[in-house]
Amino acid sequence: MAEEQDHIKLEASWKKELLPEFQKPYMTSLRTFLAREKSAGKEIYPRGEDMFNAFNLTPFDKVKVVILGQDPYHGPGQAHGLCFSVLPGVPVPPSLINIYKEIHRDLGIVPPCHGHLVSWARQGVLLLNSVLSVEKKRAGSHQKQGWEQFTDRAVTLLNQGHEGLVFLLWGNYAQNKGQFIDTRRHLILKSTHPSPFSAHRGFLGNGHFSRVNQYLAGQGKKEIDWRLPADVCSSHRVMHSSSSGGCP
C-alpha cells in the first residue's frame, strides 16, 4: 500500500484528500484503460506527468476560485493539465480568446500574447477539467472512463472543506458539477461557455472576473490578479488570430 502511494505524483495536501480514490475499483479500471490505450499506440494528452497539474499547482488549502472545464485540448502540444490553458509558444485557442475579451471588457486588462495560465493557478485558481486525459484529435474520447467520478469527488471535498469559494461554471457540462456545491457556503457564477459557438449568448458581458474579486474581498481574501506575465510573450513569439484583439 505504502509503495503504491509513493508512486502517485500528487501535491501533498491533495494527496491527503484524494488518496482513498486511488484504491477504488473505478480508478483501477481507469488505469487499465489508459495503459491499454497507450499499448495500442494511441497518443494521449497531456503527458502523464502533467495530468494532475491543476492539483499540483493549486494546493487544496490554497484554493479560492474553481474554473471547471470539460476535457483537455486534443491538439499536439496544447494540453498541460490546466483547463483552458496552453503551453507557451502555442496559439491561443478560441475559447481562451473569448475569456480574454471578457476580462478586457470587465476589468480593462489588455489580452496577453499567450495562453499560459499558470500564474492564475498559483494564486489559488483551480483550473480543473472534468476529464483529465484525451486521445489525440478525438475530443471527448476519455469521457465515462472514471475521471468524472474522480473530479466529482474533488469538487465535493472542496465544498466540504472550505468556506467562501467561487465556482465559475461555464456551459451545461460544467454546471452539472453544481449539484456538489452548497450555495449557502460558496458563490456559484454561471453563464454559457466561452466557445465561439456560445460566448455571445451570455458569456461575453457576464462580469464574472470583477464579481470574483468583489466576493473574495468581502471574505477578507486577496483578490486574483487576472493579468498574465508579459515575459512569456517576449520569449515566445505567439500571435493571436486576427479576431483576438491581442497584443501587437
Side-chain angles (χ1 to χ4, degrees):
M1 177 76 74
E3 183 179 352
E4 183 178 354
Q5 293 177 12
D6 290 341
H7 286 307
I8 300 170
K9 304 302 181 184
L10 194 62
E11 187 275 331
S13 64
W14 274 112
K15 182 183 282 193
K16 179 181 176 182
E17 299 291 335
L18 286 169
L19 191 59
E21 299 304 298
F22 290 90
Q23 317 303 326
K24 293 181 178 179
Y26 83 86
M27 186 58 75
T28 300
S29 297
L30 175 58
R31 282 195 292 261
T32 300
F33 166 76
L34 291 172
R36 186 172 64 244
E37 294 293 282
K38 291 177 182 177
S39 296
K42 296 179 180 180
E43 194 165 349
I44 306 302
Y45 300 139
R47 300 177 304 173
E49 58 265 37
D50 291 336
M51 283 184 184
F52 295 115
N53 266 352
F55 301 106
N56 292 335
L57 288 168
T58 311
F60 180 82
D61 55 352
K62 302 296 183 183
V63 175
K64 295 189 287 187
V65 181
V66 182
I67 298 179
L68 290 171
Q70 188 162 338
D71 54 8
Y73 295 122
H74 55 87
Q78 292 181 303
H80 67 110
L82 304 180
C83 71
F84 295 108
S85 182
V86 292
L87 289 167
V90 176
V92 180
S95 291
L96 185 52
I97 287 173
N98 283 329
I99 290 172
Y100 288 166
K101 284 182 178 179
E102 176 54 21
I103 291 174
H104 181 247
R105 188 209 63 81
D106 191 18
L107 297 172
I109 296 172
V110 176
C113 292
H114 63 89
H116 199 224
L117 306 182
V118 167
S119 70
W120 294 357
R122 288 177 174 155
Q123 293 179 73
V125 181
L126 181 68
L127 296 164
L128 183 63
N129 277 314
S130 180
V131 176
L132 302 188
S133 63
V134 70
E135 183 184 342
K136 178 181 178 180
K137 296 185 178 179
R138 289 193 63 211
S141 53
H142 288 189
Q143 292 178 11
K144 299 181 180 178
Q145 297 295 335
W147 281 128
E148 293 93 341
Q149 187 170 340
F150 183 76
T151 54
D152 284 353
R153 182 58 181 162
V155 172
T156 298
L157 289 166
L158 288 168
N159 173 66
Q160 295 172 346
H162 287 268
E163 295 278 352
L165 299 183
V166 186
F167 291 85
L168 299 178
L169 307 183
W170 299 331
N172 291 334
Y173 194 92
Q175 288 167 22
N176 287 334
K177 298 278 194 196
Q179 64 185 299
F180 303 107
I181 304 164
D182 184 349
T183 56
R184 297 167 298 181
R185 300 174 63 186
H186 307 286
L187 176 65
I188 296 179
L189 298 177
K190 298 179 181 180
S191 79
T192 60
H193 194 274
S195 161
F197 299 106
S198 57
H200 293 278
R201 299 201 307 268
F203 178 82
L204 296 173
N206 65 20
H208 281 183
F209 300 94
S210 59
R211 290 174 67 186
V212 165
N213 281 345
Q214 290 166 5
Y215 183 80
L216 292 177
Q219 298 285 320
K221 299 176 182 179
K222 186 176 181 180
E223 299 176 8
I224 304 300
D225 184 355
W226 296 106
R227 295 171 298 176
L228 291 167
D231 57 354
V232 178
C233 292
S234 61
S235 58
H236 296 271
R237 294 189 177 185
V238 182
M239 297 301 293
H240 283 294
S241 70
S242 60
S243 64
S244 70
C247 44

